[in-house]
């Protein structure tokens, strides 16, 4: 009874936030689109069009393959980072986050420069880019959970004669179930709703539901078609969330606190070196191409493009460095909102409320264009006249960041061991001491991961931000986009310099959160 | 009490949790306050809001001059290209996001006039606009014109001793195979302009054959200008591109000089006079504007000499006002096409969707 009431009270924060800033604007645009004019095709006609089916099928299979490939590519690195301590580990962990914040246009430029022309406009380019972008999610979400697993189980299996492969397949993989389901669902959603990668790297031959919704809504202004497709996408996302949260629950296991990571020895040492070396090389290549490009000035090299961050430019109403400040302020505010909404949501979800889970995840599945249109319709009057207020930017970014907070926290919350707490209580620990010494340390890592992801997502967010940002308050991704939209070397160069700054910011924040964690663990 | 309950309470009780909670509440309250302070209407409007596209730009001092003259703060909202900007305005027709819309071009003009979107206004300064650009509608005011033209990478052609293409027909010549990159007219404003140029040139029943020939000759179509120019075109400084002919603007060569990292005497690219298509951009007052008087002042200002002289350097398009001097880089490196192709707005509006569909069939499928 009291527990139930507490759950409801906790749920109130995320539900209220999402109702006001997500459900309401979305309802406004859907109502306008579907009930606005009676003429034209009915919703059913849109659904049964051949092109709709083609697009839906492509969306589904490319997302499935991309997710599988991302898991395959990321798990070895997650293992190495979770299990072992080695020099440069926190640097690698920080680097993994970098691709995640890069605007698609920019990554696409790097890919075009790196990929052979045959691959450039094929579905393989799409897969590669999806893997590159999403490796961070798997490494972070699965890795932080993996680090909390008790390696003794694997050791026991080894003592009983299990070979390493057997041990991973039979013991570790099942234990990782909930985190895998969590990470896979978010990667799947990301690829399912992919937009920039499809448009830039796929050329004109590929379309996902998301890119088609944008096309229909923003460009062709066929709101009815856009709305029907948006509903299809929302349903698919809701279904994915329900399936994955059922999986997470079913696979959920109680975990004891793992032993701290050890330096690798023997065979592990070789394996870790190979895995970390290879993954890092692949992750670093595109950003490195960007760094080199930001330093190329005419036929030589230099820092001219970085100096122009302080110069007035026709591409923006303010000097480019303002965008860096704006981004930091907006992303911090967005991360705070995302944590304030996401933490209670995660607790409620961990208690088995999959309704809240679906609601929290849905913004990932809503087309940014439709939501942007919804904002225009819904927030036109006081007290929420936000259509031209900069305050709407962190709110829009938080909508995208909240799912990451929830996904990063839920597996750890579910895994928190009741027996551990009870044992401590039996041994005479006060409830306060139990919290301080048992539960918070268990959650500290996932919390830091959640905060880091939320900040990174907000920092790199473009689709929703560009819709609501004001010209005198550009963010870094918006500024990059504006510079890339103009001919001339120093425009492209300044865009590249801003990319490098963006990458640096994310890496720095990731490093800092790692450091503070390490200090807390030892101090 | 359960573990999870404990954790959540703990989160709020620890200092970090408390800080986060307070900050979150502060952020939400901040939003409310920011919203509440959006202009004190009792004292009359203090700002005028311009809704426009991504390519809009104005020099700081010119913007400041307007603000000083009018006593109004100029707020600028920009998202998307001309077409997307118009669609947003149509969505909020009657309850607009701002007071003035700028960036309606010929290809969407009739849609802007059709919807009950704009208020009538005929500024006095219209008298000083070159006759070619004046339209017989009182709801839009011409502000600038820009031409979409083929751009070529001069060094690429010089290295291979291949003559620069001079006419649209040259592009179907086998010597120019696999050299051209264009934008998708369904998704890109210059892409649409170039399609319209071929329609204007070869006629409603002749342009299809031209594009079939282009396809046979290896034309590459990409989603937008950014991909075409900065990724596929070899002439853009620092581009990884391999194709030396691209659909861009008449002013792009001047931009290559102005924004060169090291000073250049000669532009690395040039625009081809044949096949240029003219786009005039208009501004209008949005029906239901909160500050209609400010909106009129803004449109007057956009036709003033000061703003018109700033147009090339900021937006890389040309002024519509008579006798405005162009900056030297434009005189030297850009072209002002003498007799660009153009189609009547009604014609474009009536056939645009069909043309784009046909184009997609011919070039993409």
């Amino acid at each position: 009874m009291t527990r139930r009431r507490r759950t409801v009270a906790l749920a109130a924060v995320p539900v209220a936030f999402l109702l006001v800033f997500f459900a309401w604007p979305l309802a406004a645009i859907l109502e306008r689109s579907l009930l606005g004019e009676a003429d034209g095709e009915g919703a059913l006609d849109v659904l049964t069009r051949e092109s709709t089916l083609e697009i839906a099928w492509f969306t589904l299979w490319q997302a499935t393959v991309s997710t599988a490939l991302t898991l395959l590519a990321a798990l070895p690195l997650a293992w190495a980072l979770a299990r072992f301590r080695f020099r440069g580990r926190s640097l690698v962990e920080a680097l993994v986050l970098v691709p995640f914040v890069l605007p698609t246009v920019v990554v696409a430029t790097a890919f075009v420069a790196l990929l052979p022309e045959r691959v450039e406009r094929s579905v393989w380019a799409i897969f590669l880019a999806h893997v590159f972008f999403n490796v961070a999610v798997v490494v972070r979400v699965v890795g932080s959970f993996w680090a909390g697993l008790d390696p003794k189980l694997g050791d026991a299996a080894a003592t009983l004669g299990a070979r390493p492969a057997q041990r991973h397949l039979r013991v570790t993989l099942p234990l990782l179930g909930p985190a895998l389901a969590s990470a896979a669902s978010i990667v799947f959603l990301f690829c399912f709703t992919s937009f920039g990668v499809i448009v830039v790297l796929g050329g004109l031959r590929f379309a996902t539901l998301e890119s088609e919704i944008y096309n229909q809504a923003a460009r062709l202004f066929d709101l009815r078609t856009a709305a029907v497709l948006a509903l299809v996408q929302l349903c698919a996302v809701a279904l994915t969330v329900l399936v994955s949260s059922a999986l997470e629950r079913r696979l959920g296991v109680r975990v004891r606190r793992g032993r701290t990571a050890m330096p690798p020895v023997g065979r592990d040492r070789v394996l870790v070196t190979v895995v970390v070396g290879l993954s890092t090389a692949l992750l670093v290549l595109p950003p490195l191409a960007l760094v080199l490009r930001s330093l190329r000035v005419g036929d030589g090299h230099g820092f001219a493009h970085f100096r122009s961050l302080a110069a007035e430019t026709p591409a923006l109403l303010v000097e480019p460095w303002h965008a860096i400040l704006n981004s930091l302020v907006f992303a911090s505010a967005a991360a705070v909102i995302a944590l304030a909404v996401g933490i209670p949501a995660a607790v409620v979800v961990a208690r088995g409320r999959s309704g809240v889970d679906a609601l929290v995840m849905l913004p990932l599945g809503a087309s940014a264009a439709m939501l942007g249109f919804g904002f225009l319709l819904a927030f036109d009057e006081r007290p929420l006249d936000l259509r031209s207020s900069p305050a709407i930017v962190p709110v829009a970014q938080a909508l995208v960041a909240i799912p990451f907070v929830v996904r990063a926290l839920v597996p750890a919350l579910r895994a928190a061991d009741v027996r551990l707490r009870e044992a401590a209580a039996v041994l005479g620990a006060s409830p306060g001491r139990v919290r301080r010494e048992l539960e918070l340390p268990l959650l500290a890592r996932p919390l830091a991961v959640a905060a880091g992801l939320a900040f990174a997502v907000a920092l790199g967010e473009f689709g929703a931000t560009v819709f609501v940002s004001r010209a005198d308050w550009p963010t870094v991704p918006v500024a990059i986009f504006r510079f890339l939209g103009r001919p001339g070397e120093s425009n492209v160069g300044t865009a590249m310099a801003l990319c490098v700054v963006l990458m640096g910011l994310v890496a720095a924040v990731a490093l800092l959160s790692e450091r503070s964690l390490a200090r807390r663990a030892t101090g | 009490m359960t573990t999870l309950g404990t954790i959540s309470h703990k989160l709020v009780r620890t200092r970090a949790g408390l800080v986060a909670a307070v900050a979150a509440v502060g952020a939400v309250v901040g939003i409310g306050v920011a919203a509440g302070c959006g202009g004190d209407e009792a004292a009359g409007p203090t700002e005028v809001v311009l809704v426009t596209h991504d390519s809009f730009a104005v020099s700081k001092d010119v913007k400041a001059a307007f603000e000083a003259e009018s006593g109004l703060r100029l707020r600028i909202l920009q998202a998307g290209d001309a077409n997307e900007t118009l669609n947003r305005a149509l969505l909020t027709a009657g309850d607009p996001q701002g007071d003035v819309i700028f960036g309606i071009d010929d290809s969407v003009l009739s849609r802007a006039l059709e919807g009950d979107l704009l208020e009538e206004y005929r500024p006095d300064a219209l008298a000083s606009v070159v006759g070619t650009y004046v339209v017989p509608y009182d709801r839009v005011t011409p502000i600038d014109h820009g031409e979409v033209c083929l751009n070529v990478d001069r060094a690429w052609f010089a290295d291979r001793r291949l003559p620069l293409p001079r006419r649209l027909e040259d592009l179907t010549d086998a010597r120019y195979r696999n050299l051209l990159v264009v934008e998708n007219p369904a998704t890109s404003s210059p892409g649409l302009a170039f399609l319209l140029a071929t329609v204007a040139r070869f006629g409603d029943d002749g342009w299809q054959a031209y594009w079939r020939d282009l396809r046979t000759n290896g034309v590459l179509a990409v989603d937008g200008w950014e991909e075409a120019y900065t990724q596929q075109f070899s002439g853009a400084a620092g581009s990884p591109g391999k194709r030396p002919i691209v659909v861009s603007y008449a002013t792009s060569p001047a931009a290559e000089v102005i924004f060169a990292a090291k000073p250049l005497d000669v532009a690395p690219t040039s625009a081809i006079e044949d096949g240029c298509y003219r786009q005039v951009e208009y501004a209008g007052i949005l029906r239901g504007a909160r500050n209609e008087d400010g909106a009129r002042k803004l449109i007057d200002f956009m036709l003033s000499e000061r703003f018109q002289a700033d147009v090339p350097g900021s937006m890389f398009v040309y002024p519509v006002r008579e006798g405005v001097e162009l900056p030297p880089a434009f005189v030297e490196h850009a072209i002002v096409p003498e007799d660009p192709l153009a189609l009547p707005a009604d014609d474009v509006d009536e056939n645009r969707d069909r043309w784009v569909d046909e184009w997609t069939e011919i070039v993409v499928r």
Side-chain angles (χ1 to χ4, degrees):
Chain A
M1 169 68 192
T2 43
R3 176 186 163 156
R4 198 197 160 99
R5 208 176 272 168
R6 268 200 304 273
T7 310
V8 171
L10 269 177
V13 178
V15 169
F17 181 85
L18 288 163
L19 281 182
V20 172
F21 291 111
F22 176 68
W24 182 33
L26 200 63
I29 182 66
L30 288 179
E31 188 220 341
R32 170 74 173 272
S33 310
L34 293 172
L35 308 176
E37 293 116 43
D39 61 328
E41 285 180 285
L44 264 178
D45 296 322
V46 177
L47 274 181
T48 51
R49 257 185 238 160
E50 200 184 323
S51 60
T52 307
L53 297 174
E54 255 172 48
I55 290 168
W57 169 240
F58 175 72
T59 309
L60 184 66
W61 81 260
Q62 66 80 19
T64 312
V65 174
S66 299
T67 308
L69 291 175
T70 308
L71 285 176
L72 276 180
L75 280 181
L77 186 60
W79 165 77
L81 289 173
R83 273 284 175 252
F84 302 104
R85 205 172 59 215
F86 49 87
R87 199 189 294 203
R89 189 181 109 179
S90 46
L91 188 69
V92 175
E93 292 210 312
L95 277 178
V96 166
L97 260 186
V98 164
F100 207 63
V101 297
L102 288 178
T104 15
V105 197
V106 175
V107 173
T109 313
F111 270 64
V112 168
L114 292 169
L115 290 177
E117 200 159 357
R118 236 161 10 97
V119 185
E120 228 173 71
R121 271 161 209 292
S122 70
V123 74
W124 285 102
I126 293 175
F127 291 153
L128 262 177
H130 280 162
V131 170
F132 177 76
F133 273 115
N134 293 314
V135 157
V137 179
V138 180
V139 169
R140 291 254 139 180
V141 174
V142 178
S144 69
F145 189 78
W146 204 331
L149 280 186
D150 192 344
K152 288 199 194 77
L153 277 174
D155 296 348
T159 318
L160 293 171
R163 282 191 304 277
Q166 248 178 331
R167 221 162 60 204
H168 279 301
L169 228 62
R170 296 269 178 81
V171 180
T172 315
L173 213 56
L175 283 175
L176 284 178
L180 278 178
S182 217
S185 71
I186 213 164
V187 173
F188 180 83
L189 289 182
F190 242 97
C191 299
F192 192 86
T193 58
S194 181
F195 173 67
V197 169
I198 303 287
V199 167
V200 179
L201 280 175
L204 304 186
R205 288 191 299 136
F206 302 105
T208 52
L209 284 170
E210 176 84 14
S211 70
E212 188 59 19
I213 294 167
Y214 176 79
N215 199 24
Q216 295 290 344
R219 286 163 172 167
L220 303 177
F221 207 48
D222 181 349
L223 290 178
R224 180 182 298 267
T225 302
V228 172
L229 295 179
L231 281 174
V232 171
Q233 182 167 310
L234 273 180
C235 290
V237 168
L239 198 68
T240 310
V241 172
L242 291 177
V243 168
S244 86
S245 91
L247 268 178
E248 262 174 48
R249 253 202 318 277
R250 176 167 302 181
L251 300 172
V253 280
R254 305 285 182 202
V255 202
R256 286 158 202 288
R257 195 175 177 203
R259 115 187 125 199
T260 32
M262 304 288 271
V265 284
R267 255 175 52 112
D268 283 345
R269 196 178 164 145
V270 182
L271 264 178
V272 167
T273 314
V274 171
V275 164
V276 172
L278 216 62
S279 312
T280 316
L282 288 176
L283 280 173
V284 157
L285 213 56
L288 201 65
L290 295 179
V291 173
L292 288 179
R293 212 169 150 194
S294 74
L295 294 175
R296 198 164 67 209
V297 181
D299 296 327
H301 290 85
F303 291 95
H305 300 316
F306 287 88
R307 278 196 295 276
S308 64
L309 292 180
E312 198 187 327
T313 160
L316 296 176
L317 286 179
V318 292
E319 288 83 17
W321 64 266
H322 284 276
I324 300 170
L325 270 190
N326 295 340
S327 265
L328 284 175
V329 171
F330 285 142
S332 308
V336 168
I337 298 175
L339 287 175
V341 176
I343 291 171
V347 173
V348 174
V349 170
R351 286 184 185 173
R353 305 292 151 132
S354 37
V356 173
D357 199 357
L359 184 63
V360 163
M361 296 296 279
L362 275 183
L364 275 190
S367 138
M370 286 303 263
L371 199 57
F373 274 2
F375 276 9
L376 294 185
L377 291 180
F379 301 132
D380 63 336
E381 269 168 56
R382 289 179 180 183
L384 280 173
D385 185 3
L386 299 179
R387 294 197 299 187
S388 60
S389 157
I392 196 72
V393 174
V395 170
Q397 293 175 341
L399 277 179
V400 189
I402 290 167
F404 290 89
V405 173
V406 173
R407 287 276 82 78
L409 290 180
V410 165
L413 281 170
R414 285 222 174 97
D417 194 334
V418 181
R419 280 171 305 169
L420 203 64
R421 193 184 64 80
E422 282 164 358
V426 168
L427 292 171
S430 67
R433 192 159 161 213
V434 172
R435 281 174 220 139
R436 200 167 52 244
E437 294 185 8
L438 270 174
E439 287 155 359
L440 267 184
L442 267 177
L443 276 180
R445 205 179 151 78
L447 264 179
V449 168
L453 274 177
F455 185 80
V457 169
L459 210 54
E461 213 293 323
F462 175 71
T465 306
V466 74
F467 235 92
V468 292
S469 81
R470 264 173 42 181
D472 48 351
W473 288 85
T475 63
V476 174
V478 169
I480 291 171
F481 176 73
R482 300 242 190 273
F483 276 111
L484 281 181
R486 292 168 164 262
E489 184 186 354
S490 70
N491 285 322
V492 181
T494 313
M496 295 300 144
L498 281 169
C499 285
V500 172
V501 171
L502 196 62
M503 296 192 290
L505 282 178
V506 171
V509 167
L511 267 177
L512 276 178
S513 70
E514 286 292 318
R515 284 276 154 79
S516 67
L517 255 179
R519 241 202 319 278
R520 206 176 311 153
T522 54
Chain B
M1 203 198 259
T2 68
T3 315
L4 300 174
T6 325
I7 290 162
S8 62
H9 283 188
K10 182 72 195 173
L11 283 173
V12 179
R13 264 192 241 158
T14 55
R15 207 162 2 150
L18 196 65
V19 171
V22 170
V25 170
V28 173
V29 171
I31 290 166
V33 172
C37 299
D40 194 349
E41 266 155 56
T46 55
E47 61 171 24
V48 56
V49 181
L50 175 66
V51 179
T52 183
H53 53 54
D54 291 322
S55 312
F56 176 83
V58 58
S59 296
K60 249 186 178 174
D61 55 325
V62 176
K63 178 172 178 268
F66 170 74
E67 292 180 331
E69 262 171 45
S70 64
L72 295 166
R73 256 175 59 89
L74 173 58
R75 249 203 221 184
I76 297 159
L77 301 176
Q78 48 186 166
D81 61 17
N83 181 32
E84 289 163 23
T85 306
L86 176 64
N87 286 341
R88 281 156 58 98
L90 285 170
L91 182 75
T92 53
D95 177 23
Q97 234 189 324
D99 305 302
V100 175
I101 181 171
F102 165 73
I104 300 167
D105 65 30
D106 292 291
S107 62
V108 295
L109 178 61
S110 43
R111 279 206 304 136
L113 294 170
E114 234 169 61
D116 195 6
L117 180 70
L118 303 169
E119 296 279 0
E120 285 190 4
Y121 180 53
R122 213 181 151 75
D124 298 337
L126 215 52
S128 44
V129 169
V130 180
T132 331
Y133 307 115
V134 179
V135 280
Y137 315 105
D138 279 349
R139 280 180 288 171
V140 289
T141 305
I143 303 295
D144 68 61
H145 70 100
E147 280 74 21
V148 169
C149 299
L150 291 165
N151 277 211
V152 293
D153 175 0
R154 294 157 60 112
W156 193 96
F157 285 96
D159 289 348
R160 285 161 187 77
R161 295 174 194 284
L162 195 61
L164 296 178
R166 295 178 51 83
R167 299 167 50 76
L168 284 181
E169 288 84 348
D170 291 346
L171 301 175
T172 60
D173 187 328
R175 284 189 304 169
Y176 299 101
R177 180 179 282 272
N178 294 337
L179 301 189
L180 171 66
V181 54
V182 302
E183 299 87 357
N184 182 359
T187 54
S188 151
S189 158
L192 178 62
F194 186 62
L195 170 60
L196 296 180
T198 61
V199 175
R201 175 66 171 279
F202 300 107
D204 195 1
D205 47 8
W207 66 268
Q208 295 89 342
Y210 177 72
W211 278 97
R212 272 188 213 102
D213 291 346
L214 279 185
R215 181 170 182 170
T216 313
N217 215 26
V219 64
L220 173 65
V222 296
D223 192 62
W225 181 89
E226 288 85 355
E227 293 95 82
Y229 194 88
T230 62
Q231 290 173 26
Q232 299 295 340
F233 179 47
S234 62
S239 156
K242 298 169 193 86
R243 291 182 176 246
I245 313 173
V246 69
V247 171
S248 190
Y249 296 89
T251 52
S252 304
E256 288 290 341
V257 173
I258 293 171
F259 294 111
K262 304 226 167 97
L264 296 174
D265 297 329
V266 191
T269 61
S270 57
I272 306 293
E273 177 98 27
D274 187 51
C276 289
Y277 188 83
R278 176 196 295 144
Q279 289 178 319
V280 180
E281 289 194 292
Y282 307 90
I285 298 175
L286 290 161
R287 187 171 58 83
R290 288 185 188 179
N291 185 359
E292 228 187 290
D293 182 54
R296 279 186 223 109
K297 281 185 187 153
L298 180 57
I299 289 184
D300 288 348
F301 183 76
M302 292 176 91
L303 276 185
S304 72
E305 250 192 287
R306 179 140 202 195
F307 185 90
Q308 288 282 310
D310 186 52
V311 154
S314 293
M315 290 192 271
F316 287 82
V317 287
Y318 296 115
V320 292
R321 198 183 159 104
E322 254 171 293
V324 176
E325 222 174 285
L326 291 180
F330 288 80
V331 178
E332 262 174 68
H333 307 289
I335 59 170
V336 189
E338 297 243 318
D339 192 17
L341 297 161
L343 288 173
D346 292 342
D347 218 16
V348 173
D349 192 57
E350 202 173 300
N351 299 301
R352 182 183 47 229
D353 293 348
R354 178 171 62 84
W355 287 337
V356 170
D357 285 345
E358 284 182 48
W359 181 92
T360 310
E361 280 301 323
I362 295 168
V363 178
V364 183
R365 301 238 186 264

